[in-house]
């Protein structure tokens, strides 16, 4: 799709399942976003609304041809996660108090893109660590359609 270089509007459906110690929560989001191709990478961008404050946090997911996914949330505390199937990867969590090193372990990473109509389906299961301590177990299910 040639128009990917300038950006294509997409409808996004996101479901996140979070388990932190004994707490379990589910989050659903339906939002409009934009899909852009830069070089060989695809970028999915959208604004994530905060229901309590009304603020909107810019979120970018970068998909590489090698099957890796980078997730960036640019809020007051910037989160940069990197997912590589079956690997432990160092990431960054920039807080107002400094940078906290974190790590992701990704037992499941699936990305599937189709051209007509252009759409994608992404599944990411990951464990988040701060040092050796398990912070949480996360499951992301994302679909988008142009």
């Amino acid at each position: 799709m040639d128009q990917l270089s300038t950006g294509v509007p997409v409808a996004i459906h996101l479901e996140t399942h979070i388990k932190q110690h004994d707490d379990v929560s589910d989050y659903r989001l339906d939002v409009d976003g934009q899909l852009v191709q830069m070089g060989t990478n695809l970028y999915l961008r959208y604004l994530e609304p905060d229901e309590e404050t009304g603020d909107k946090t810019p979120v970018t997911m970068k998909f590489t041809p090698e099957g890796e996914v980078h997730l960036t949330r640019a809020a007051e505390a910037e989160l940069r996660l990197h997912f590589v199937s079956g690997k432990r990867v160092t990431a960054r969590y920039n807080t107002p108090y400094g940078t906290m090193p974190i790590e992701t372990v990704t037992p499941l990473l699936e990305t599937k893109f189709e051209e007509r109509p252009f759409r994608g389906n992404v599944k990411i299961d990951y464990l988040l660590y701060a040092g050796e301590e398990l912070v949480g177990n996360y499951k992301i299910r994302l679909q988008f359609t142009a």
Side-chain angles (χ1 to χ4, degrees):
M1 282 183 63
D2 294 334
Q3 60 267 50
L4 275 178
S5 60
T6 56
V8 174
V10 291
I12 297 169
H13 176 74
L14 172 70
E15 295 181 13
T16 307
H17 177 78
I18 303 166
K19 184 172 190 283
Q20 295 175 317
H21 307 293
D22 292 332
D23 294 332
V24 175
S25 59
D26 289 297
Y27 176 74
R28 280 188 168 74
L29 176 65
D30 287 294
V31 67
D32 291 329
Q34 187 173 48
L35 188 69
V36 179
Q37 182 166 3
M38 295 171 68
T40 57
N41 299 316
L42 281 177
Y43 292 84
L44 181 66
R45 296 183 176 127
Y46 62 93
L47 296 175
E48 184 179 277
D50 184 317
E51 293 174 8
E52 293 176 14
T53 65
D55 291 343
K56 294 182 187 271
T57 300
V59 177
T60 302
M61 293 184 89
K62 172 183 169 185
F63 304 100
T64 71
E66 297 79 28
E68 298 179 10
V69 178
H70 300 256
L71 172 67
T72 303
R73 292 184 79 248
E76 180 182 346
E78 183 186 55
L79 180 64
R80 291 179 176 264
L81 299 178
H82 182 185
F83 305 108
V84 181
S85 186
K87 293 198 175 168
R88 189 177 187 118
V89 180
T90 302
R92 285 197 333 248
Y93 187 41
N94 296 324
T95 72
Y97 310 104
T99 301
M100 187 169 92
I102 54 178
E103 295 178 310
T104 59
V105 175
T106 311
L108 174 70
L109 176 57
E110 293 178 5
T111 57
K112 182 179 171 188
F113 304 109
E114 297 178 27
E115 283 214 18
R116 292 199 172 111
F118 197 82
R119 62 182 166 209
N121 196 335
V122 179
K123 295 179 182 178
I124 304 172
D125 291 358
Y126 69 98
L127 306 172
L128 184 65
Y129 289 89
E132 293 303 311
E133 184 180 342
L134 178 63
V135 174
N137 187 331
Y138 300 79
K139 294 181 188 311
I140 296 173
R141 300 296 181 263
L142 175 110
Q143 293 95 31
F144 63 85
T145 307

